[in-house]
Amino acid sequence: MSKKQRGFTLITVLILTSMASIVVLNSLRENLVQERLTGNFQKKINSRLLAEKGVFEEAKLLKQALNDNKALDVDGLIAAAGNATGSGLIGDDAIYNATLSKNAAGEIEIASQGRRYGGDAVSNLVARYKMIPGAPKSPFEQAIVGCEGVLVNGSGRIDSYDSADGPYKEENAGTDARIGTIHYNSDVSLSGGSPIWGDVIVTGSVTLSGSSPVMGDIHANGSVTINGGTGTGVPAGYPTDTRVAGDILSVQSIDFTGGRVLGVLRAIKDITIRNNDDAIVENKDANGLDIMYGGQGQFPSDLGAHQYQNSKPYSDDIFKKVPDIKPVPSVDPTNPDPNHDYTDPRTNCDPILVVRNNENLAGNDTLNDLNIIEFSAFNLTESQGTFTKWPSWKKPIGRSITPVSRTVFEQPNQQVYVLNSLTVSGGKLTIQSGDVTLYIKNDFKYNNHPSNGFEIASGATLTIYIEGRVIIDDEITTHEPISSAGRAVFSIFSSYETPDMESLVCHAVPSNGNKVGVELLSNASMYAAIYAPRAHIQVNSDSGNDFNGSLRGKTVSTCGNGGIHYDKRLKNISAGGGGATMPKLQFLGWSYKAPKTVVEETEEEATP
């Protein structure tokens, strides 16, 4: 081979070696790029997973705060939950931070940021949740509900307690005894001397013409009239002349003669203050202006020193501002709304449809009268009712009875005693054990003077579904107010319909003409949850014969001097086949957002 040929071969080898080196270098470069891309992707995945962990941890805090306090609104829930901050398991540089806020739609937003490698990888995730409040399915969430009106004309105290803490004690009474109406334009009249330790929430107007103080807010869709005089029987720590311990809010007008209001006055229309002596608006919480009104203001010609705020008399135009007052929810039964939730006890008189339920309970069985008279005793369990003693010289006016299977509020195969009427007068009725249910086609009357003739034994409960009237004039002995299964120890569900009558008066009782559907007379002392959405309820209990529990009727009048003590545990009892539903969080979706880039200013740009 010539020398020229050997040189050509060398050049060829060099060229091929160079080309191979270029290919190898390019391959190495490509592998390096791929490795970096993979590393960056892994970092990004890490930061996203950290952002998601922040959302999950924040959601846990929200759910825990809601479980701890089911009454929280969105703002309260955000404040109670706080922020979630922590690190992941993959390293100390894996960090998440989650914060809460409320957007313009009222939703809860969780903004979570995940960071890895000292901020080399950052991901922002926003998750949206909707808070669905719990629905109060118990119809006994208030002390007194008169769907079409309430009259308080007695002198006994209306207050609250929690039976979970033990029996009612006057010295431990609370101020959660709310009184309200439901149907459109239904009024409350407070003409007696009963201290009302709670709110008065009314779809119509409120009139305070007696000496009853209201130890809460008054909120009315109609006008609010407060006549002269000061309240009596206020809780310890309150001024003795307190008339209203909270705010007075009226969608219409306020006419204020005298007394002390510890909150503020707000009226969308007119305000009239008639007295320059003791018509005091304390505004103890410094809630802006003492009074606000959108219409006309009428004031004494010579205002008292206490009727000025920041050197401005209440007659000054600074107080003439239309306040923001939401109307009390109401329903017009004569004009049904197809979009209305008719299962909500706050806006419906008969949310559990007791009329339909009771009509289906009689069935085709023969209905018997059960009369428990002198020298007789009758025991009831879930499965059998029997006379335990009966003198041979007396002719029995009743017989042993057994329950039949019925569907109660869509719950089939319930054991129900079916009666035409029930009278307890002179004898004794004992609910011995179990959850006993009675259906009574006509009336239930209990009058057993002078001995106590009605007892519900420890661990037992009695539920009465009735289409007739209820007249109770003696003590009913109970032991535990609410059973472990969540049933009131004694409850009445009446579908009796009171004829047209003047509702906001005290009728003579026992009433004539079958007017009053549920009568609790002077000797009636009991614990009960009473539900009578079509009937007038009248309480005439005397002092010492107090009523504990809750009252719900078409109209309600309190006319005696016995107290009414609302048990707050009734808010959560199962009634009519349903109980209170829990508030919950509904997940709406999430989205990743690019991290905000902060452009650092150079020293030259930062110099002015």
mmCIF file of all heavy atoms in Angstrom, residues 11 35 38 51 68 78 170 222 232 250 259 273 351 426 512 518 535 550 554:
data_model
loop_
_atom_site.group_PDB
_atom_site.id
_atom_site.type_symbol
_atom_site.label_atom_id
_atom_site.label_comp_id
_atom_site.label_asym_id
_atom_site.label_seq_id
_atom_site.Cartn_x
_atom_site.Cartn_y
_atom_site.Cartn_z
ATOM 1 N N ILE A 11 -7.161 9.710 7.912
ATOM 2 C CA ILE A 11 -8.115 10.826 7.895
ATOM 3 C C ILE A 11 -9.551 10.304 8.029
ATOM 4 O O ILE A 11 -10.388 10.856 8.772
ATOM 5 C CB ILE A 11 -7.947 11.645 6.615
ATOM 6 C CG1 ILE A 11 -6.605 12.373 6.665
ATOM 7 C CG2 ILE A 11 -9.093 12.652 6.456
ATOM 8 C CD1 ILE A 11 -6.252 13.038 5.354
ATOM 9 N N GLU A 35 -32.801 14.331 32.147
ATOM 10 C CA GLU A 35 -32.676 14.152 33.594
ATOM 11 C C GLU A 35 -33.104 15.401 34.333
ATOM 12 O O GLU A 35 -33.792 15.324 35.367
ATOM 13 C CB GLU A 35 -31.230 13.801 33.936
ATOM 14 C CG GLU A 35 -31.023 13.504 35.415
ATOM 15 C CD GLU A 35 -29.593 13.107 35.728
ATOM 16 O OE1 GLU A 35 -28.798 12.942 34.780
ATOM 17 O OE2 GLU A 35 -29.278 12.973 36.924
ATOM 18 N N THR A 38 -36.849 15.676 34.102
ATOM 19 C CA THR A 38 -37.452 14.725 35.037
ATOM 20 C C THR A 38 -37.350 15.221 36.469
ATOM 21 O O THR A 38 -38.299 15.134 37.257
ATOM 22 C CB THR A 38 -36.783 13.359 34.908
ATOM 23 O OG1 THR A 38 -36.915 12.891 33.562
ATOM 24 C CG2 THR A 38 -37.408 12.342 35.868
ATOM 25 N N ALA A 51 -49.178 20.979 48.203
ATOM 26 C CA ALA A 51 -50.313 21.907 48.170
ATOM 27 C C ALA A 51 -51.620 21.161 48.450
ATOM 28 O O ALA A 51 -52.490 21.649 49.182
ATOM 29 C CB ALA A 51 -50.377 22.613 46.825
ATOM 30 N N ASP A 68 -67.339 20.761 66.558
ATOM 31 C CA ASP A 68 -67.273 21.324 67.904
ATOM 32 C C ASP A 68 -68.377 22.345 68.150
ATOM 33 O O ASP A 68 -68.860 22.488 69.275
ATOM 34 C CB ASP A 68 -65.905 21.977 68.139
ATOM 35 C CG ASP A 68 -64.780 20.955 68.177
ATOM 36 O OD1 ASP A 68 -65.063 19.765 68.365
ATOM 37 O OD2 ASP A 68 -63.605 21.346 67.994
ATOM 38 N N ILE A 78 -64.494 30.058 59.688
ATOM 39 C CA ILE A 78 -63.142 30.416 59.224
ATOM 40 C C ILE A 78 -62.277 30.844 60.411
ATOM 41 O O ILE A 78 -61.117 30.449 60.525
ATOM 42 C CB ILE A 78 -63.222 31.531 58.162
ATOM 43 C CG1 ILE A 78 -63.818 30.972 56.860
ATOM 44 C CG2 ILE A 78 -61.847 32.144 57.891
ATOM 45 C CD1 ILE A 78 -64.093 32.025 55.813
ATOM 46 N N GLU A 170 -84.364 27.320 89.388
ATOM 47 C CA GLU A 170 -84.584 28.735 89.108
ATOM 48 C C GLU A 170 -83.282 29.528 89.104
ATOM 49 O O GLU A 170 -83.087 30.404 88.263
ATOM 50 C CB GLU A 170 -85.553 29.319 90.136
ATOM 51 C CG GLU A 170 -85.932 30.771 89.865
ATOM 52 C CD GLU A 170 -86.980 31.284 90.831
ATOM 53 O OE1 GLU A 170 -87.515 30.461 91.611
ATOM 54 O OE2 GLU A 170 -87.258 32.489 90.807
ATOM 55 N N GLY A 222 -93.517 43.628 61.577
ATOM 56 C CA GLY A 222 -94.454 44.723 61.764
ATOM 57 C C GLY A 222 -93.876 45.767 62.691
ATOM 58 O O GLY A 222 -92.651 45.926 62.811
ATOM 59 N N THR A 232 -89.740 43.678 85.334
ATOM 60 C CA THR A 232 -89.501 43.099 86.660
ATOM 61 C C THR A 232 -89.024 41.664 86.466
ATOM 62 O O THR A 232 -89.438 40.990 85.525
ATOM 63 C CB THR A 232 -90.781 43.097 87.499
ATOM 64 O OG1 THR A 232 -91.818 42.390 86.800
ATOM 65 C CG2 THR A 232 -91.247 44.512 87.781
ATOM 66 N N SER A 250 -87.251 46.631 63.767
ATOM 67 C CA SER A 250 -88.583 46.635 63.170
ATOM 68 C C SER A 250 -88.495 46.950 61.684
ATOM 69 O O SER A 250 -87.865 47.934 61.291
ATOM 70 C CB SER A 250 -89.484 47.665 63.855
ATOM 71 O OG SER A 250 -90.707 47.812 63.155
ATOM 72 N N GLY A 259 -88.758 52.917 79.792
ATOM 73 C CA GLY A 259 -87.975 51.751 80.160
ATOM 74 C C GLY A 259 -86.564 51.860 79.608
ATOM 75 O O GLY A 259 -86.194 52.843 78.943
ATOM 76 N N ILE A 273 -90.337 58.378 70.220
ATOM 77 C CA ILE A 273 -89.926 58.289 71.620
ATOM 78 C C ILE A 273 -90.759 59.305 72.386
ATOM 79 O O ILE A 273 -90.687 60.507 72.128
ATOM 80 C CB ILE A 273 -88.419 58.558 71.787
ATOM 81 C CG1 ILE A 273 -87.606 57.469 71.064
ATOM 82 C CG2 ILE A 273 -88.032 58.600 73.269
ATOM 83 C CD1 ILE A 273 -86.116 57.648 71.151
ATOM 84 N N PRO A 351 -94.582 21.148 59.774
ATOM 85 C CA PRO A 351 -93.571 20.612 58.866
ATOM 86 C C PRO A 351 -93.562 19.092 58.797
ATOM 87 O O PRO A 351 -93.057 18.524 57.825
ATOM 88 C CB PRO A 351 -92.254 21.138 59.456
ATOM 89 C CG PRO A 351 -92.548 21.339 60.905
ATOM 90 C CD PRO A 351 -93.978 21.792 60.956
ATOM 91 N N GLY A 426 -109.576 9.873 88.885
ATOM 92 C CA GLY A 426 -109.727 9.109 90.107
ATOM 93 C C GLY A 426 -108.835 7.889 90.162
ATOM 94 O O GLY A 426 -108.371 7.497 91.226
ATOM 95 N N ASN A 512 -115.781 26.342 76.579
ATOM 96 C CA ASN A 512 -117.060 25.899 76.043
ATOM 97 C C ASN A 512 -116.994 25.892 74.523
ATOM 98 O O ASN A 512 -116.258 26.657 73.912
ATOM 99 C CB ASN A 512 -118.185 26.818 76.515
ATOM 100 C CG ASN A 512 -118.360 26.794 78.032
ATOM 101 O OD1 ASN A 512 -118.291 25.740 78.645
ATOM 102 N ND2 ASN A 512 -118.579 27.966 78.619
ATOM 103 N N VAL A 518 -105.811 22.468 73.214
ATOM 104 C CA VAL A 518 -104.976 21.923 74.289
ATOM 105 C C VAL A 518 -105.083 22.860 75.477
ATOM 106 O O VAL A 518 -104.704 24.034 75.387
ATOM 107 C CB VAL A 518 -103.501 21.776 73.856
ATOM 108 C CG1 VAL A 518 -102.666 21.242 75.013
ATOM 109 C CG2 VAL A 518 -103.382 20.854 72.642
ATOM 110 N N ALA A 535 -104.376 23.988 66.360
ATOM 111 C CA ALA A 535 -105.187 24.190 67.569
ATOM 112 C C ALA A 535 -104.681 25.371 68.380
ATOM 113 O O ALA A 535 -103.507 25.750 68.306
ATOM 114 C CB ALA A 535 -105.176 22.933 68.432
ATOM 115 N N SER A 550 -91.753 22.363 75.635
ATOM 116 C CA SER A 550 -91.921 23.256 74.496
ATOM 117 C C SER A 550 -93.372 23.199 74.029
ATOM 118 O O SER A 550 -94.020 22.153 74.110
ATOM 119 C CB SER A 550 -90.982 22.845 73.351
ATOM 120 O OG SER A 550 -91.177 23.647 72.208
ATOM 121 N N LYS A 554 -101.215 26.532 66.720
ATOM 122 C CA LYS A 554 -101.681 27.550 65.785
ATOM 123 C C LYS A 554 -101.619 28.913 66.466
ATOM 124 O O LYS A 554 -101.123 29.891 65.896
ATOM 125 C CB LYS A 554 -103.106 27.236 65.336
ATOM 126 C CG LYS A 554 -103.706 28.257 64.379
ATOM 127 C CD LYS A 554 -105.129 27.857 64.004
ATOM 128 C CE LYS A 554 -105.759 28.871 63.053
ATOM 129 N NZ LYS A 554 -107.159 28.495 62.706
#
